[in-house]
mmCIF file of all heavy atoms in Angstrom:
data_model
loop_
_atom_site.group_PDB
_atom_site.id
_atom_site.type_symbol
_atom_site.label_atom_id
_atom_site.label_comp_id
_atom_site.label_asym_id
_atom_site.label_seq_id
_atom_site.Cartn_x
_atom_site.Cartn_y
_atom_site.Cartn_z
ATOM 1 N N LEU A 53 269.205 141.090 162.313
ATOM 2 C CA LEU A 53 267.748 141.212 162.134
ATOM 3 C C LEU A 53 267.399 142.676 161.853
ATOM 4 O O LEU A 53 267.892 143.565 162.522
ATOM 5 C CB LEU A 53 267.066 140.722 163.398
ATOM 6 C CG LEU A 53 265.839 139.861 163.258
ATOM 7 C CD1 LEU A 53 266.172 138.619 162.441
ATOM 8 C CD2 LEU A 53 265.307 139.465 164.603
ATOM 9 N N GLY A 54 266.581 142.861 160.832
ATOM 10 C CA GLY A 54 266.111 144.222 160.488
ATOM 11 C C GLY A 54 267.085 144.999 159.615
ATOM 12 O O GLY A 54 266.791 146.104 159.186
ATOM 13 N N GLU A 55 268.280 144.438 159.361
ATOM 14 C CA GLU A 55 269.295 145.132 158.579
ATOM 15 C C GLU A 55 268.861 145.279 157.130
ATOM 16 O O GLU A 55 268.441 144.329 156.476
ATOM 17 C CB GLU A 55 270.612 144.358 158.647
ATOM 18 C CG GLU A 55 271.747 144.930 157.869
ATOM 19 C CD GLU A 55 273.039 144.124 158.015
ATOM 20 O OE1 GLU A 55 273.017 143.004 158.607
ATOM 21 O OE2 GLU A 55 274.048 144.622 157.565
ATOM 22 N N PRO A 56 268.929 146.515 156.561
ATOM 23 C CA PRO A 56 268.616 146.666 155.147
ATOM 24 C C PRO A 56 269.849 146.189 154.323
ATOM 25 O O PRO A 56 271.003 146.443 154.666
ATOM 26 C CB PRO A 56 268.445 148.179 154.973
ATOM 27 C CG PRO A 56 269.214 148.772 156.105
ATOM 28 C CD PRO A 56 269.252 147.760 157.248
ATOM 29 N N VAL A 57 269.545 145.506 153.217
ATOM 30 C CA VAL A 57 270.607 145.008 152.310
ATOM 31 C C VAL A 57 270.150 145.198 150.881
ATOM 32 O O VAL A 57 268.970 145.470 150.618
ATOM 33 C CB VAL A 57 270.863 143.477 152.577
ATOM 34 C CG1 VAL A 57 271.365 143.240 153.977
ATOM 35 C CG2 VAL A 57 269.605 142.618 152.285
ATOM 36 N N VAL A 58 271.105 145.056 149.976
ATOM 37 C CA VAL A 58 270.788 145.045 148.534
ATOM 38 C C VAL A 58 271.325 143.742 148.010
ATOM 39 O O VAL A 58 272.499 143.420 148.147
ATOM 40 C CB VAL A 58 271.456 146.231 147.824
ATOM 41 C CG1 VAL A 58 271.175 146.145 146.305
ATOM 42 C CG2 VAL A 58 270.900 147.542 148.376
ATOM 43 N N LEU A 59 270.473 142.978 147.386
ATOM 44 C CA LEU A 59 270.840 141.666 146.819
ATOM 45 C C LEU A 59 270.996 141.868 145.304
ATOM 46 O O LEU A 59 270.054 142.362 144.605
ATOM 47 C CB LEU A 59 269.725 140.654 147.112
ATOM 48 C CG LEU A 59 269.961 139.248 146.587
ATOM 49 C CD1 LEU A 59 271.188 138.602 147.189
ATOM 50 C CD2 LEU A 59 268.740 138.375 146.944
ATOM 51 N N SER A 60 272.154 141.492 144.777
ATOM 52 C CA SER A 60 272.433 141.632 143.338
ATOM 53 C C SER A 60 272.655 140.269 142.731
ATOM 54 O O SER A 60 273.469 139.493 143.193
ATOM 55 C CB SER A 60 273.657 142.489 143.111
ATOM 56 O OG SER A 60 273.473 143.785 143.611
ATOM 57 N N HIS A 61 271.895 139.995 141.667
ATOM 58 C CA HIS A 61 271.984 138.689 140.937
ATOM 59 C C HIS A 61 272.546 139.031 139.566
ATOM 60 O O HIS A 61 272.164 140.040 138.959
ATOM 61 C CB HIS A 61 270.609 138.075 140.823
ATOM 62 C CG HIS A 61 270.611 136.776 140.229
ATOM 63 N ND1 HIS A 61 270.605 136.578 138.865
ATOM 64 C CD2 HIS A 61 270.557 135.513 140.771
ATOM 65 C CE1 HIS A 61 270.572 135.295 138.580
ATOM 66 N NE2 HIS A 61 270.546 134.641 139.742
ATOM 67 N N PRO A 62 273.485 138.216 139.023
ATOM 68 C CA PRO A 62 274.105 138.568 137.725
ATOM 69 C C PRO A 62 273.126 138.661 136.556
ATOM 70 O O PRO A 62 273.379 139.429 135.643
ATOM 71 C CB PRO A 62 275.102 137.402 137.491
ATOM 72 C CG PRO A 62 274.783 136.349 138.457
ATOM 73 C CD PRO A 62 273.992 136.971 139.610
ATOM 74 N N LEU A 63 271.972 137.982 136.627
ATOM 75 C CA LEU A 63 271.036 138.045 135.542
ATOM 76 C C LEU A 63 269.697 138.703 135.928
ATOM 77 O O LEU A 63 268.986 139.194 135.044
ATOM 78 C CB LEU A 63 270.763 136.650 134.972
ATOM 79 C CG LEU A 63 271.982 135.953 134.395
ATOM 80 C CD1 LEU A 63 271.660 134.526 134.019
ATOM 81 C CD2 LEU A 63 272.530 136.718 133.208
ATOM 82 N N ALA A 64 269.379 138.714 137.217
ATOM 83 C CA ALA A 64 268.057 139.247 137.639
ATOM 84 C C ALA A 64 268.150 140.711 138.084
ATOM 85 O O ALA A 64 267.137 141.323 138.341
ATOM 86 C CB ALA A 64 267.541 138.400 138.792
ATOM 87 N N GLY A 65 269.344 141.238 138.237
ATOM 88 C CA GLY A 65 269.505 142.633 138.657
ATOM 89 C C GLY A 65 269.623 142.742 140.157
ATOM 90 O O GLY A 65 270.103 141.812 140.837
ATOM 91 N N ALA A 66 269.208 143.878 140.733
ATOM 92 C CA ALA A 66 269.376 144.111 142.133
ATOM 93 C C ALA A 66 268.014 144.475 142.773
ATOM 94 O O ALA A 66 267.151 145.017 142.108
ATOM 95 C CB ALA A 66 270.353 145.247 142.369
ATOM 96 N N ILE A 67 267.879 144.138 144.046
ATOM 97 C CA ILE A 67 266.670 144.433 144.773
ATOM 98 C C ILE A 67 266.987 144.768 146.263
ATOM 99 O O ILE A 67 267.866 144.135 146.829
ATOM 100 C CB ILE A 67 265.630 143.337 144.678
ATOM 101 C CG1 ILE A 67 264.291 143.736 145.239
ATOM 102 C CG2 ILE A 67 266.158 142.052 145.312
ATOM 103 C CD1 ILE A 67 263.151 142.828 144.858
ATOM 104 N N ARG A 68 266.306 145.729 146.796
ATOM 105 C CA ARG A 68 266.452 146.058 148.232
ATOM 106 C C ARG A 68 265.638 145.016 149.049
ATOM 107 O O ARG A 68 264.582 144.590 148.617
ATOM 108 C CB ARG A 68 265.959 147.447 148.548
ATOM 109 C CG ARG A 68 266.802 148.511 147.882
ATOM 110 C CD ARG A 68 266.265 149.923 148.239
ATOM 111 N NE ARG A 68 266.990 150.914 147.493
ATOM 112 C CZ ARG A 68 268.158 151.412 147.836
ATOM 113 N NH1 ARG A 68 268.773 150.978 148.914
ATOM 114 N NH2 ARG A 68 268.710 152.323 147.109
ATOM 115 N N ALA A 69 266.193 144.708 150.212
ATOM 116 C CA ALA A 69 265.510 143.742 151.085
ATOM 117 C C ALA A 69 265.901 144.022 152.532
ATOM 118 O O ALA A 69 266.783 144.865 152.809
ATOM 119 C CB ALA A 69 265.928 142.314 150.723
ATOM 120 N N TYR A 70 265.210 143.339 153.464
ATOM 121 C CA TYR A 70 265.501 143.435 154.883
ATOM 122 C C TYR A 70 265.674 142.035 155.450
ATOM 123 O O TYR A 70 264.972 141.086 155.031
ATOM 124 C CB TYR A 70 264.326 144.102 155.635
ATOM 125 C CG TYR A 70 264.218 145.552 155.304
ATOM 126 C CD1 TYR A 70 263.406 146.010 154.255
ATOM 127 C CD2 TYR A 70 264.973 146.526 155.993
ATOM 128 C CE1 TYR A 70 263.329 147.350 153.941
ATOM 129 C CE2 TYR A 70 264.885 147.861 155.690
ATOM 130 C CZ TYR A 70 264.082 148.279 154.674
ATOM 131 O OH TYR A 70 264.036 149.608 154.357
ATOM 132 N N VAL A 71 266.617 141.924 156.417
ATOM 133 C CA VAL A 71 266.849 140.624 157.046
ATOM 134 C C VAL A 71 265.711 140.371 158.065
ATOM 135 O O VAL A 71 265.470 141.201 158.942
ATOM 136 C CB VAL A 71 268.194 140.630 157.814
ATOM 137 C CG1 VAL A 71 268.407 139.335 158.545
ATOM 138 C CG2 VAL A 71 269.360 140.909 156.833
ATOM 139 N N VAL A 72 264.966 139.268 157.899
ATOM 140 C CA VAL A 72 263.853 138.962 158.754
ATOM 141 C C VAL A 72 264.106 137.733 159.626
ATOM 142 O O VAL A 72 263.350 137.498 160.589
ATOM 143 C CB VAL A 72 262.536 138.779 157.945
ATOM 144 C CG1 VAL A 72 262.109 140.121 157.316
ATOM 145 C CG2 VAL A 72 262.686 137.695 156.899
ATOM 146 N N ARG A 73 265.126 136.945 159.297
ATOM 147 C CA ARG A 73 265.500 135.791 160.102
ATOM 148 C C ARG A 73 266.940 135.468 159.875
ATOM 149 O O ARG A 73 267.401 135.520 158.727
ATOM 150 C CB ARG A 73 264.603 134.584 159.715
ATOM 151 C CG ARG A 73 264.820 133.338 160.613
ATOM 152 C CD ARG A 73 263.732 132.281 160.338
ATOM 153 N NE ARG A 73 263.392 132.093 158.973
ATOM 154 C CZ ARG A 73 264.024 131.245 158.149
ATOM 155 N NH1 ARG A 73 265.039 130.528 158.549
ATOM 156 N NH2 ARG A 73 263.658 131.109 156.898
ATOM 157 N N VAL A 74 267.657 135.119 160.921
ATOM 158 C CA VAL A 74 269.054 134.743 160.805
ATOM 159 C C VAL A 74 269.234 133.300 161.213
ATOM 160 O O VAL A 74 268.708 132.858 162.258
ATOM 161 C CB VAL A 74 269.927 135.660 161.675
ATOM 162 C CG1 VAL A 74 271.399 135.234 161.605
ATOM 163 C CG2 VAL A 74 269.784 137.112 161.255
ATOM 164 N N GLY A 75 269.960 132.531 160.392
ATOM 165 C CA GLY A 75 270.235 131.118 160.693
ATOM 166 C C GLY A 75 271.714 130.847 160.729
ATOM 167 O O GLY A 75 272.534 131.755 160.531
ATOM 168 N N ARG A 76 272.078 129.604 160.964
ATOM 169 C CA ARG A 76 273.490 129.239 161.019
ATOM 170 C C ARG A 76 274.178 129.394 159.688
ATOM 171 O O ARG A 76 275.355 129.740 159.598
ATOM 172 C CB ARG A 76 273.636 127.778 161.476
ATOM 173 C CG ARG A 76 273.378 127.592 162.948
ATOM 174 C CD ARG A 76 273.452 126.147 163.270
ATOM 175 N NE ARG A 76 272.265 125.557 162.643
ATOM 176 C CZ ARG A 76 271.848 124.335 162.812
ATOM 177 N NH1 ARG A 76 272.496 123.523 163.593
ATOM 178 N NH2 ARG A 76 270.749 123.903 162.250
ATOM 179 N N ASP A 77 273.455 129.112 158.597
ATOM 180 C CA ASP A 77 274.089 129.144 157.260
ATOM 181 C C ASP A 77 273.692 130.354 156.392
ATOM 182 O O ASP A 77 274.033 130.404 155.221
ATOM 183 C CB ASP A 77 273.768 127.873 156.518
ATOM 184 C CG ASP A 77 272.270 127.603 156.381
ATOM 185 O OD1 ASP A 77 271.487 128.248 157.077
ATOM 186 O OD2 ASP A 77 271.899 126.742 155.575
ATOM 187 N N GLY A 78 273.008 131.302 156.998
ATOM 188 C CA GLY A 78 272.609 132.501 156.205
ATOM 189 C C GLY A 78 271.479 133.233 156.861
ATOM 190 O O GLY A 78 271.314 133.206 158.055
ATOM 191 N N ALA A 79 270.663 133.860 156.006
ATOM 192 C CA ALA A 79 269.533 134.668 156.497
ATOM 193 C C ALA A 79 268.396 134.722 155.532
ATOM 194 O O ALA A 79 268.585 134.629 154.325
ATOM 195 C CB ALA A 79 270.037 136.071 156.816
ATOM 196 N N ALA A 80 267.195 134.907 156.068
ATOM 197 C CA ALA A 80 266.005 135.113 155.245
ATOM 198 C C ALA A 80 265.858 136.604 155.029
ATOM 199 O O ALA A 80 265.934 137.390 155.982
ATOM 200 C CB ALA A 80 264.776 134.550 155.955
ATOM 201 N N LEU A 81 265.641 136.974 153.763
ATOM 202 C CA LEU A 81 265.449 138.353 153.384
ATOM 203 C C LEU A 81 264.032 138.543 152.889
ATOM 204 O O LEU A 81 263.491 137.666 152.193
ATOM 205 C CB LEU A 81 266.427 138.745 152.259
ATOM 206 C CG LEU A 81 267.883 138.452 152.481
ATOM 207 C CD1 LEU A 81 268.665 138.904 151.244
ATOM 208 C CD2 LEU A 81 268.410 139.145 153.743
ATOM 209 N N SER A 82 263.418 139.659 153.202
ATOM 210 C CA SER A 82 262.074 139.989 152.746
ATOM 211 C C SER A 82 262.140 141.115 151.736
ATOM 212 O O SER A 82 262.844 142.115 151.977
ATOM 213 C CB SER A 82 261.235 140.413 153.944
ATOM 214 O OG SER A 82 259.919 140.814 153.540
ATOM 215 N N PHE A 83 261.460 140.966 150.612
ATOM 216 C CA PHE A 83 261.366 141.986 149.615
ATOM 217 C C PHE A 83 260.097 142.824 149.804
ATOM 218 O O PHE A 83 259.057 142.235 150.191
ATOM 219 C CB PHE A 83 261.256 141.382 148.187
ATOM 220 C CG PHE A 83 262.320 140.431 147.790
ATOM 221 C CD1 PHE A 83 261.983 139.317 147.062
ATOM 222 C CD2 PHE A 83 263.665 140.630 148.125
ATOM 223 C CE1 PHE A 83 262.964 138.427 146.642
ATOM 224 C CE2 PHE A 83 264.647 139.770 147.730
ATOM 225 C CZ PHE A 83 264.289 138.658 146.972
ATOM 226 N N PRO A 84 260.114 144.113 149.516
ATOM 227 C CA PRO A 84 258.883 144.863 149.518
ATOM 228 C C PRO A 84 257.974 144.275 148.396
ATOM 229 O O PRO A 84 258.430 144.046 147.308
ATOM 230 C CB PRO A 84 259.297 146.291 149.180
ATOM 231 C CG PRO A 84 260.767 146.350 149.416
ATOM 232 C CD PRO A 84 261.286 144.942 149.239
ATOM 233 N N ALA A 85 256.701 144.070 148.722
ATOM 234 C CA ALA A 85 255.765 143.486 147.751
ATOM 235 C C ALA A 85 255.627 144.423 146.537
ATOM 236 O O ALA A 85 255.573 145.646 146.665
ATOM 237 C CB ALA A 85 254.410 143.273 148.373
ATOM 238 N N GLY A 86 255.644 143.823 145.353
ATOM 239 C CA GLY A 86 255.440 144.623 144.119
ATOM 240 C C GLY A 86 255.977 143.909 142.924
ATOM 241 O O GLY A 86 256.508 142.774 143.043
ATOM 242 N N GLU A 87 255.916 144.568 141.816
ATOM 243 C CA GLU A 87 256.359 143.986 140.537
ATOM 244 C C GLU A 87 257.875 143.739 140.554
ATOM 245 O O GLU A 87 258.338 142.785 139.945
ATOM 246 C CB GLU A 87 255.947 144.896 139.387
ATOM 247 C CG GLU A 87 254.432 144.917 139.174
ATOM 248 C CD GLU A 87 254.092 145.807 137.980
ATOM 249 O OE1 GLU A 87 254.844 145.880 137.012
ATOM 250 O OE2 GLU A 87 252.991 146.392 138.046
ATOM 251 N N ASP A 88 258.662 144.607 141.173
ATOM 252 C CA ASP A 88 260.100 144.412 141.221
ATOM 253 C C ASP A 88 260.464 143.099 141.870
ATOM 254 O O ASP A 88 261.343 142.360 141.460
ATOM 255 C CB ASP A 88 260.784 145.578 141.924
ATOM 256 C CG ASP A 88 260.770 146.847 141.131
ATOM 257 O OD1 ASP A 88 260.519 146.799 139.912
ATOM 258 O OD2 ASP A 88 261.001 147.924 141.748
ATOM 259 N N ALA A 89 259.781 142.795 142.961
ATOM 260 C CA ALA A 89 260.033 141.526 143.696
ATOM 261 C C ALA A 89 259.684 140.302 142.835
ATOM 262 O O ALA A 89 260.430 139.357 142.765
ATOM 263 C CB ALA A 89 259.231 141.477 145.009
ATOM 264 N N ALA A 90 258.547 140.359 142.179
ATOM 265 C CA ALA A 90 258.127 139.248 141.330
ATOM 266 C C ALA A 90 259.097 139.083 140.155
ATOM 267 O O ALA A 90 259.471 137.960 139.799
ATOM 268 C CB ALA A 90 256.713 139.466 140.808
#
Side-chain angles (χ1 to χ4, degrees):
L53 223 56
E55 180 177 8
V57 298
V58 177
L59 180 61
S60 298
H61 184 279
L63 299 174
I67 189 166
R68 294 181 186 277
Y70 290 92
V71 177
V72 293
R73 185 170 41 89
V74 176
R76 286 176 290 190
D77 57 345
L81 308 179
S82 177
F83 304 142
E87 290 181 34
D88 289 342

